[in-house]
Amino acid sequence: MKEQIFSSLGTIGRINYFIRILLFVAIPFIVTIFSVNFFSHWHHGTHLPLGIFIGLIFIFISIFSILMQTIKRLNDIGKSPIYSVLLLIPFINVLFILVLLCLPKKQ
């Protein structure tokens, strides 16, 4: 069965979780910088809000994807998916991701 990125079904290992978290943080960052830079230097005026809007769309998609990957990782270690709510709390989310990266797979 092909693994789906936007699904919460299944499990995911530590390395795949780390790689996907890095990608889902880096891609919106790069797209936001590129779109803001591109639309702020438009020929007939500025369209900076459009660049910010495109960046926000990518950020929301990324947040959703990170939540789905976290639910998969929680399934892998045998914990309840409700713990994924901890990702929405600033500073706690970084610690929570580090804990998820350190915990081994449930036997």
Side-chain angles (χ1 to χ4, degrees), residues 5-48:
I5 293 179
F6 298 111
S7 172
S8 64
L9 300 176
T11 62
I12 188 171
R14 289 185 275 192
I15 301 219
N16 284 337
Y17 181 70
F18 178 70
I19 291 169
R20 289 181 184 182
I21 292 297
L22 281 180
L23 284 175
F24 288 132
V25 169
I27 290 173
F29 180 73
I30 292 168
V31 167
T32 301
I33 289 177
F34 177 74
S35 64
V36 166
N37 190 21
F38 179 76
F39 286 110
S40 66
H41 296 91
W42 203 257
H43 299 291
H44 302 290
T46 181
H47 295 290
L48 182 63

Side-chain angles (χ1 to χ4, degrees), residues 49-63:
L50 182 60
I52 294 171
F53 178 72
I54 290 171
L56 284 174
I57 297 244
F58 273 85
I59 289 170
F60 286 131
I61 292 171
S62 176
I63 289 171

Side-chain angles (χ1 to χ4, degrees), residues 34-95:
F34 177 74
S35 64
V36 166
N37 190 21
F38 179 76
F39 286 110
S40 66
H41 296 91
W42 203 257
H43 299 291
H44 302 290
T46 181
H47 295 290
L48 182 63
L50 182 60
I52 294 171
F53 178 72
I54 290 171
L56 284 174
I57 297 244
F58 273 85
I59 289 170
F60 286 131
I61 292 171
S62 176
I63 289 171
F64 176 76
S65 300
I66 289 172
L67 281 171
M68 294 300 109
Q69 301 312 305
T70 301
I71 290 172
K72 286 181 186 179
R73 182 68 188 131
L74 287 168
N75 289 336
D76 191 48
I77 62 174
K79 300 294 182 189
S80 174
I82 195 69
Y83 288 120
S84 64
V85 174
L86 292 174
L87 285 178
L88 302 176
I89 303 172
F91 302 110
I92 301 294
N93 55 4
V94 175
L95 294 173

